Amino acid sequence: MTPRVVFPNKLLPYLLVAPQLAITLVFFYWPAAQALYQSMLKEDPFGLKSKFVWFDNFKKVLADPNYLHSIKVTVVFSVATAAVAMIVALLLAVMAEKVVRSKGFYRTLLIWPYAVAPAIAGMLFLFLFNPSIGSLAILLRKMGIAWDPVLNGTDAMVLLVAAAAWKQISYNFLFFVAGLQAIPKTLIEAAAIDGAREAKRFWTIVFPLLAPTTFFLLVINTTYAFFDTFGIVHAVTGGGPGKATETLVYKVYNDGFVNLILGSSAAQSVILMIIVIALTAIQFRYVERKVHYG
Amino acid sequence: MATVDLKDVRKVYPGGVEAVKGVSIAIPDKELCVLVGPSGCGKSTLLRMIAGLETISSGTCAIDGKVVNAVGPTERDIAMVFQNYALYPHMKVYDNMAYGLRNRGTPKDEIDSRVRSTAKVLELSHLLDRRPRELSGGQRQRVAMGRAIVRNPKVFLFDEPLSNLDAKLRGQMRVEIKNLQRSLGVTSVYVTHDQLEAMTLADILVVMNAGLVEQMGAPLDIYEKPASTFVASFIGAPPMNLLAIAAKPNSPVDTAEKVLANGEGLEISAPAHAATLGFRPEDADVISEGTTGSLKLSATVEAVEPVGAESFLYCAAAGGRIVVRVSGRAAAKPGDQLKVMVPAGKLHWFDSTGKRV
């Protein structure tokens, strides 16, 4: 235990935390409070007058079948993205660990995609899989797959998941590589001597010991898929076809800034806020406890 | 139960570093072979090659008469105790011990009875539900031993298993390992850099240096007849005293008349090519009058180390520092001038390359 530092001056500690507090207040709490306030207002499309309506907006949003559909889309999208991004990254990390020569070179190459901005990643996938001009779309069609993300909702979702996961794989890869390196080599050797073959060693020793990393990435990836994929959705599908890929975040934007239903949009973002808080709390309360060994 | 046969085993790492330069050791069934040497002498590499954790660059390693060069560690039927124990941190003690048996498809009730009986032998029964992080160093060490024993393998491999324990526990575990190994009758290879551990545990002692075997044999034979100055200074604590000697001025190089570094004659005849003479601290006596047929040296006491039952006198003598053991309390104090006598039969002679003559 480090000894507690006590400031002789009563005012100094407050002054020291003040800048951080100010930033948090101005950039996080104020907008959040604004959103909360706005979610209880009903405003005409021209912004000329508004009326305080308590929870009417929430009632309306939660009763809206479009909103419920959007929740379903978001869950499917998030689970699929997190799963794909983490499984592929783990596979790549395990493979990259096994490379003997020029390990660093492979690793660097695998980390690069993370430097690509989400919207640009979206555009890449949009072009590659565009049903009329995309080079990969042509390949798919030649293989006999009727690929059309512009008209088919499932195809659009697959494309979106691919684009969103692709970008996250590098990030996950980096953490899995670090996690793998932190596992003492003698443990693997002891398991080998104990008669466990490679696959068995992975599932009984490596994977359980990676649990803290996996858990951390699960939190990061779900949050990413839930909230940070606006750019990709916007670039790749724009929520279409026919709302098939309209996630909650995208709907907030669409209702607020395109359809100008500000009250409803604000109510939706408050709901999103509650979902984030709940998700994080659940993950840390119930999952984290079981995954640290020390 | 099995024999272990190493024939001209070499290890060359990519990049050209030769860690093991042709080692041949034959370990009979049920015997404990200790590999001892300074760090970097290739003893751990050799052990890892027997385990199958390192490939063998050339030569053969045979377990129970079968060459296992191409057999992976999984199929060699060996058990290893690691220096850091390598216990699976996410498994309870019970599962740590059962892991190897489960992997080999042992029936559940047999696993249970074997784990419990092994735990009983090692006094681990009350710890079976704990995780490794909840155990002390000594307990972890026992679990690592238990994990090896429970499998009943052909060969035990120990990689400096006691070096993370405190001195007292190390002494206890040393005795325990020896007893266990003897009662189980499992052929074992034990790597250590501690010469005391090596001396007390070994049936066969292998002293290694720079990737080669310096000397191999029964511990006491090695102690009494070290094959080189390296072995002489490595085995025994405090190590053997070594003094440089030279031919008497104006005589042929291979004369029996030698002188110490200060030009003093030896009074006894030395082998022709001897360049170093050695004697154990306990073979030297502090005397007032010398008897004939023994080596006499004058020395100045620099430090006295009382250990209790005996004391060590660290002295400066012609041609180097020497240590003399006297029993009980030492009468000498730093600065005293002493005469030291060593019987001729207790002297060891080495040539200029360090080999025994």
Side-chain angles (χ1 to χ4, degrees), chain A residues 123-195:
Chain A
M123 288 312 284
L124 282 174
F125 273 75
L126 188 63
F127 281 126
L128 284 172
F129 289 96
N130 182 296
S132 42
I133 57 165
S135 42
L136 290 178
I138 291 168
L139 273 177
L140 281 173
R141 203 133 349 128
K142 275 192 180 151
M143 287 184 335
I145 300 163
W147 173 258
D148 192 354
V150 178
L151 295 176
N152 184 322
T154 316
D155 286 1
M157 179 58 92
V158 169
L159 180 56
L160 206 57
V161 168
W166 178 77
K167 211 183 118 30
Q168 199 62 10
I169 284 171
S170 306
Y171 182 84
N172 295 351
F173 171 78
L174 198 62
F175 277 87
F176 276 130
V177 165
L180 286 173
Q181 282 176 341
I183 297 175
K185 240 187 124 193
T186 45
L187 280 185
I188 312 292
E189 290 172 350
I193 287 173
D194 261 345

Side-chain angles (χ1 to χ4, degrees), chain B residues 193-230:
Chain B
H193 60 261
D194 179 2
Q195 62 89 24
L196 181 65
E197 239 170 80
M199 288 292 292
T200 47
L201 282 171
D203 294 315
I204 311 166
L205 182 57
V206 178
V207 185
M208 288 185 70
N209 183 26
L212 286 168
V213 172
E214 282 273 338
Q215 194 175 4
M216 182 165 27
L220 282 177
D221 290 349
I222 292 181
Y223 185 81
E224 281 158 12
K225 278 199 160 68
S228 64
T229 47
F230 174 82

Side-chain angles (χ1 to χ4, degrees), chain A residues 5-158:
Chain A
V5 178
V6 181
F7 289 102
N9 192 322
K10 284 252 163 27
L11 198 64
L12 185 63
Y14 296 101
L15 272 174
L16 290 175
V17 290
Q20 177 64 47
L21 275 180
I23 287 171
T24 316
L25 282 175
V26 171
F27 290 101
F28 295 94
Y29 287 95
W30 190 12
Q34 274 292 317
L36 199 63
Y37 175 63
Q38 199 145 56
S39 70
M40 296 180 188
L41 289 183
K42 196 167 179 177
E43 203 164 342
D44 74 295
F46 306 103
L48 297 176
K49 56 179 191 250
S50 55
K51 188 168 82 178
F52 196 78
V53 293
W54 285 108
F55 294 102
D56 272 12
N57 285 327
F58 289 92
K59 280 183 204 149
K60 215 191 244 165
V61 162
L62 290 173
D64 180 3
N66 276 335
Y67 189 73
L68 300 179
H69 172 72
S70 177
I71 291 180
K72 216 165 75 188
V73 167
T74 309
V75 169
V76 171
F77 171 71
S78 303
V79 170
T81 304
V84 171
M86 287 173 68
I87 291 168
V88 174
L90 181 57
L91 198 75
L92 288 173
V94 171
M95 294 300 177
E97 267 296 288
K98 273 199 247 167
V99 177
V100 182
R101 236 169 262 187
S102 43
K103 221 181 217 178
F105 177 68
Y106 285 103
R107 268 187 213 152
T108 314
L109 282 188
L110 282 164
I111 290 161
W112 271 1
Y114 193 60
V116 178
I120 294 174
M123 288 312 284
L124 282 174
F125 273 75
L126 188 63
F127 281 126
L128 284 172
F129 289 96
N130 182 296
S132 42
I133 57 165
S135 42
L136 290 178
I138 291 168
L139 273 177
L140 281 173
R141 203 133 349 128
K142 275 192 180 151
M143 287 184 335
I145 300 163
W147 173 258
D148 192 354
V150 178
L151 295 176
N152 184 322
T154 316
D155 286 1
M157 179 58 92
V158 169

Side-chain angles (χ1 to χ4, degrees), chain B residues 89-137:
Chain B
H90 58 298
M91 294 185 196
K92 291 180 174 160
V93 169
Y94 183 96
D95 298 308
N96 260 287
M97 288 168 72
Y99 186 71
L101 294 171
R102 283 187 190 135
N103 287 333
R104 287 183 166 76
T106 317
K108 243 187 168 150
D109 43 342
E110 197 192 326
I111 293 179
D112 193 64
S113 69
R114 272 166 76 173
V115 169
R116 285 187 196 284
S117 67
T118 308
K120 209 168 167 191
V121 172
L122 289 167
E123 294 161 36
L124 288 170
S125 301
H126 59 296
L127 301 173
L128 287 175
D129 279 331
R130 301 236 187 124
R131 285 186 204 279
R133 67 149 183 260
E134 297 159 343
L135 304 178
S136 70

Side-chain angles (χ1 to χ4, degrees), chain B residues 279-293:
Chain B
F279 60 91
R280 296 274 176 203
E282 67 269 25
D283 292 332
D285 278 316
V286 178
I287 44 136
S288 41
E289 278 307 308
T291 37
T292 48

Side-chain angles (χ1 to χ4, degrees), chain B residues 20-327:
Chain B
V20 177
K21 302 170 184 167
V23 168
S24 302
I25 304 172
I27 307 166
D29 190 19
K30 297 182 187 177
E31 299 226 326
L32 198 162
C33 168
V34 174
L35 307 177
V36 69
S39 30
C41 72
K43 57 191 192 299
S44 280
T45 310
L46 195 60
L47 188 81
R48 291 170 60 80
M49 285 196 279
I50 301 172
L53 298 172
E54 298 274 356
T55 54
I56 298 170
S57 304
S58 75
T60 58
C61 168
I63 294 174
D64 209 7
K66 246 178 276 158
V67 174
V68 292
N69 283 31
V71 179
T74 313
E75 282 89 27
R76 285 197 188 182
D77 197 13
I78 46 160
M80 185 155 166
V81 179
F82 290 85
Q83 182 175 3
N84 61 1
Y85 317 136
L87 300 177
Y88 312 124
H90 58 298
M91 294 185 196
K92 291 180 174 160
V93 169
Y94 183 96
D95 298 308
N96 260 287
M97 288 168 72
Y99 186 71
L101 294 171
R102 283 187 190 135
N103 287 333
R104 287 183 166 76
T106 317
K108 243 187 168 150
D109 43 342
E110 197 192 326
I111 293 179
D112 193 64
S113 69
R114 272 166 76 173
V115 169
R116 285 187 196 284
S117 67
T118 308
K120 209 168 167 191
V121 172
L122 289 167
E123 294 161 36
L124 288 170
S125 301
H126 59 296
L127 301 173
L128 287 175
D129 279 331
R130 301 236 187 124
R131 285 186 204 279
R133 67 149 183 260
E134 297 159 343
L135 304 178
S136 70
Q139 288 167 335
R140 284 180 206 190
Q141 217 284 328
R142 277 165 189 280
V143 176
M145 295 274 300
R147 187 170 68 179
I149 291 168
V150 77
R151 289 231 331 268
N152 195 15
K154 280 186 190 154
V155 180
F156 280 150
L157 304 175
F158 298 90
D159 190 5
E160 311 211 9
L162 304 182
S163 55
N164 284 351
L165 299 179
D166 61 62
K168 192 178 161 205
L169 210 49
R170 204 181 304 158
Q172 279 174 21
M173 285 308 291
R174 203 168 63 213
V175 176
E176 214 162 308
I177 286 178
K178 182 77 188 170
N179 289 342
L180 269 173
Q181 192 269 337
R182 213 174 267 155
S183 64
L184 295 169
V186 177
T187 316
S188 306
V189 185
Y190 189 109
V191 162
T192 182
H193 60 261
D194 179 2
Q195 62 89 24
L196 181 65
E197 239 170 80
M199 288 292 292
T200 47
L201 282 171
D203 294 315
I204 311 166
L205 182 57
V206 178
V207 185
M208 288 185 70
N209 183 26
L212 286 168
V213 172
E214 282 273 338
Q215 194 175 4
M216 182 165 27
L220 282 177
D221 290 349
I222 292 181
Y223 185 81
E224 281 158 12
K225 278 199 160 68
S228 64
T229 47
F230 174 82
V231 178
S233 59
F234 198 81
I235 298 294
M240 183 181 280
N241 298 307
L242 296 172
L243 294 174
I245 50 173
K248 196 175 173 182
N250 308 321
S251 14
V253 186
D254 54 358
T255 177
E257 290 180 74
K258 306 277 184 191
V259 292
L260 288 163
N262 62 356
E264 214 176 290
L266 282 187
E267 293 184 34
I268 49 172
S269 66
H273 294 286
T276 307
L277 81 83
F279 60 91
R280 296 274 176 203
E282 67 269 25
D283 292 332
D285 278 316
V286 178
I287 44 136
S288 41
E289 278 307 308
T291 37
T292 48
S294 42
L295 172 77
K296 283 181 278 302
L297 293 168
S298 11
T300 314
V301 180
E302 290 187 323
V304 180
E305 246 185 30
V307 189
E310 58 200 12
S311 302
F312 295 105
L313 309 178
Y314 290 80
C315 313
R321 288 211 160 70
I322 59 169
V323 186
V324 176
R325 193 200 81 117
V326 293
S327 60

